[in-house]
Amino acid sequence: MHLDLLAIAAHPDDVELTCGGTLLKMAQLGHKTGILDLTAGEMGTRGTPKIRAKEAANAAKLLHVSWRETLSVPDSDVQPSRQHKLRLAAVIRQLRPKTVILPYWEARHPDHYHASTLGYEGCFLAGLKQLPITGEAYRPFKILYSVSYASVRPTFVVDISAQYAQRHRAILGFASQFRPKKGENTSKVHLAIDRLEDEMNQLARHYGQMIGVQYGEPFLQKELMKVEDVVKMEVRSI
Ligand SMILES: [Zn+2]
């Protein structure tokens, strides 16, 4: 299967939380989308790998994602090692995504910033003809960094107002990780569901407001944006 857009992240649910609305919107526009979870999230204190796999598959369905798999890198030990880079490069050659979304390269959780490096270098290596892996050499055209939780100014924001409710459903689908078990103290849960809901709502509103819409998801690209017609540019200045 060949994809138009592939989102790569460290843990199942990372993609839903940072760019789930954009994935859904792109699928609705007719693009083929996919998610590659680097780990199965097995270090999470909640839910079994089996439950998580089921939750991830359900979320993918809600976001109209055509392809979702895990690279089976050990959770809490995501490293841009040669071995992982080659395996990621093989996936890139198989899927040939035009655009790849990666986590931003600075983060609190080491898995997140290592996922960024591993993702970028895997995409780069996939284009080297002499690489000792199968498949035709291929490099994605565009790499976007998701900056929802990063304190940097995004290059652009995608309007996800129409997709927000469905993204919300996809995130809540990861119930095993956010919902306290019966009788459990909610303050002990890493990010209890009510706090998470509140936080994701605030972030999406914040970025939406920056472009004059209700909800948005922010991205950064290293390249400059090319503009053809400055009279048709969106987002009001004054
Ligand atoms: Zn994560």
Side-chain angles (χ1 to χ4, degrees):
M1 183 186 293
H2 291 181
L3 297 181
D4 297 303
L5 177 65
L6 174 67
I8 300 175
H11 316 108
D13 83 5
D14 283 356
V15 163
E16 282 78 4
L17 286 163
T18 57
C19 57
T22 302
L23 278 187
L24 175 58
K25 185 168 185 164
M26 294 310 111
Q28 288 169 339
L29 286 176
H31 296 306
K32 251 199 158 63
T33 64
I35 299 173
L36 177 64
D37 303 308
L38 295 176
T39 78
E42 69 272 16
M43 288 302 279
T45 46
R46 335 186 57 74
T48 62
K50 212 174 150 192
I51 291 174
R52 276 170 194 232
K54 210 174 143 203
E55 290 173 341
N58 284 341
K61 223 178 274 170
L62 287 172
L63 299 178
H64 302 187
V65 165
S66 310
W67 184 96
R68 181 171 208 165
E69 278 189 23
T70 164
L71 200 66
S72 301
V73 168
D75 191 359
S76 84
D77 196 24
V78 175
Q79 299 283 347
S81 68
R82 177 83 176 159
Q83 181 204 355
H84 296 334
K85 280 189 267 187
L86 290 181
R87 290 183 48 222
L88 180 54
V91 173
I92 295 293
R93 285 186 176 188
Q94 177 204 330
L95 299 174
R96 303 174 78 79
K98 271 184 211 139
T99 300
V100 170
I101 298 176
L102 297 177
Y104 185 57
W105 56 85
E106 278 177 7
R108 185 186 63 87
H109 195 316
D111 276 0
H112 294 166
Y113 56 77
H114 283 316
S116 188
T117 310
L118 173 56
Y120 179 86
E121 295 184 4
C123 288
F124 186 88
L125 287 188
L128 296 177
K129 283 201 182 80
Q130 304 302 333
L131 208 67
I133 56 168
T134 54
E136 196 188 331
Y138 177 82
R139 219 167 256 160
F141 178 77
K142 175 66 71 184
I143 293 189
L144 303 174
Y145 295 90
S146 166
V147 295
S148 278
Y149 296 103
S151 50
V152 288
R153 191 170 171 83
T155 322
F156 65 92
V157 174
V158 175
D159 176 5
I160 60 148
S161 306
Q163 289 76 28
Y164 182 78
Q166 185 79 343
R167 183 189 87 156
H168 187 68
R169 253 172 248 134
I171 292 169
L172 294 194
F174 286 89
S176 72
Q177 298 180 62
F178 304 121
R179 207 159 281 163
K181 287 181 201 131
K182 259 205 172 122
E184 193 174 19
N185 185 349
T186 47
S187 63
K188 277 192 187 151
V189 179
H190 170 59
L191 198 55
I193 196 83
D194 49 351
R195 230 188 88 202
L196 176 83
E197 264 184 296
D198 193 47
E199 192 181 301
M200 59 188 252
N201 187 291
Q202 266 183 33
L203 278 172
R205 283 187 81 94
H206 167 72
Y207 287 110
Q209 207 169 37
M210 289 174 87
I211 57 163
V213 304
Q214 201 176 2
Y215 295 109
E217 281 174 348
F219 295 91
L220 184 143
Q221 62 165 9
K222 290 177 178 169
E223 309 76 39
L224 287 181
M225 307 276 288
K226 175 172 169 272
V227 171
E228 209 58 57
D229 186 340
V230 294
V231 180
K232 284 189 181 155
M233 286 178 77
E234 296 191 73
V235 185
R236 175 174 283 278
S237 301
I238 47 174

